[in-house]
Amino acid sequence: MDLSTLKQQLQTLAINAADIDRKRGEAIKPLFDERLFSCLARLLTPCVSEAQSLVATLEREQENGRLTAIRANYLCEKLLNQISALQREMATLSVRHKERRFAPKFGTSIGQLYQDLAQHQSWERRLDDMVRDAESKLGQCQTLVEQQQMQKNLLTLEKRLARCSEARQKIEARIAFREKKN
C-alpha cells in the first residue's frame, strides 16, 4: 500500500490549516465530532496532525505485518473521512466567515467589549457633533427646499445617533453583567 500521495495531500492540508488557524483563531466549539477526530480541537492544525498520525499507524502496522484487511479497511475509511472533512471545512471557510459576522458575539472577551464600547462612544460623539452642525445649518437655510433637505439630513443623523446610543447601552449592559458574574 503506497501512502505517499496521502502524505503529500496531508502536508498541503497542514500548511493551509496553519495559515487558516493564524487568520481565524480558535473556534468556540470543537470543529468536528469526536468520532471523526478524537482530539476535539478548536483549530484545524491538530486535526491534520491526527490524520497524519493515522497514516503513520497504517504504515507502522503494515511494516510489522499486523495490518489485517478489516483493520486496513477501517483505518483507510476513517482517514478518507477525516481528509474530506478537513477539505470541506477549508472550502466553506468564506461561508462560515459570513455566518459568523451575523451571529451574536457570545464568546467576546471583556477586553473586546471595552474596545467596542470605546469605538461606539467615539462614533456617538462624532454623530452628536454632526447633529449640532446640521441643526445650526438648518437655522441658516434661506429657501424651503434647502430647509426640507436639511431637516431630512438632520432626521437621518438623529436616527443614527439613537441607534449608536442604543448599541452603546447594550455593550455597557453586557460589560456590567460580565463584571457582576465574575
Side-chain angles (χ1 to χ4, degrees):
M1 179 178 347
D2 185 27
L3 300 171
S4 59
T5 308
L6 284 174
K7 284 175 150 179
Q8 196 172 22
Q9 191 175 13
L10 283 169
Q11 187 59 38
T12 305
L13 284 174
I15 293 167
N16 293 339
D19 187 45
I20 290 168
D21 287 345
R22 270 192 302 279
K23 290 177 186 172
R24 183 173 68 176
E26 195 171 279
I28 295 169
K29 296 186 283 187
L31 295 172
F32 302 103
D33 186 71
E34 70 265 5
R35 284 172 284 174
L36 186 59
F37 289 98
S38 60
C39 63
L40 292 176
R42 297 175 183 192
L43 296 169
L44 287 171
T45 306
C47 297
V48 174
S49 297
E50 185 175 326
Q52 288 172 325
S53 72
L54 195 57
V55 170
T57 301
L58 267 167
E59 284 182 321
R60 190 174 50 252
E61 288 185 13
Q62 184 181 11
E63 286 173 8
N64 295 337
R66 293 183 301 171
L67 189 63
T68 64
I70 294 171
R71 174 92 170 139
N73 190 29
Y74 169 76
L75 291 176
C76 287
E77 187 176 330
K78 184 170 183 172
L79 181 62
L80 291 176
N81 287 337
Q82 287 180 340
I83 290 172
S84 65
L86 287 165
Q87 289 172 333
R88 267 194 316 276
E89 178 70 21
M90 290 178 189
T92 59
L93 201 60
S94 61
V95 174
R96 293 182 195 288
H97 181 69
K98 287 177 187 173
E99 286 175 351
R100 244 189 327 170
R101 226 180 339 181
F102 299 111
K105 296 182 179 179
F106 292 114
T108 309
S109 69
I110 193 84
Q112 182 62 47
L113 286 173
Y114 274 112
Q115 287 178 357
D116 290 350
L117 178 62
Q119 181 66 62
H120 278 75
Q121 288 170 334
S122 171
W123 288 335
E124 195 172 12
R125 280 191 298 274
R126 286 197 330 225
L127 284 168
D128 197 37
D129 291 342
M130 291 168 73
V131 166
R132 275 188 263 125
D133 287 346
E135 286 171 342
S136 68
K137 288 179 183 176
L138 182 63
Q140 298 170 0
C141 290
Q142 295 177 1
T143 66
L144 183 63
V145 174
E146 284 180 349
Q147 192 176 18
Q148 287 174 340
Q149 185 61 36
M150 280 311 294
Q151 283 178 335
K152 194 176 182 182
N153 188 25
L154 178 62
L155 185 62
T156 302
L157 287 170
E158 287 174 340
K159 285 180 179 179
R160 285 178 63 193
L161 178 60
R163 285 193 306 270
C164 187
S165 296
E166 187 178 319
R168 178 191 45 78
Q169 289 169 352
K170 285 181 181 178
I171 294 169
E172 287 173 343
R174 288 175 66 193
I175 289 171
F177 175 76
R178 284 277 196 78
E179 288 179 344
K180 196 184 302 181
K181 196 168 83 170
N182 292 337

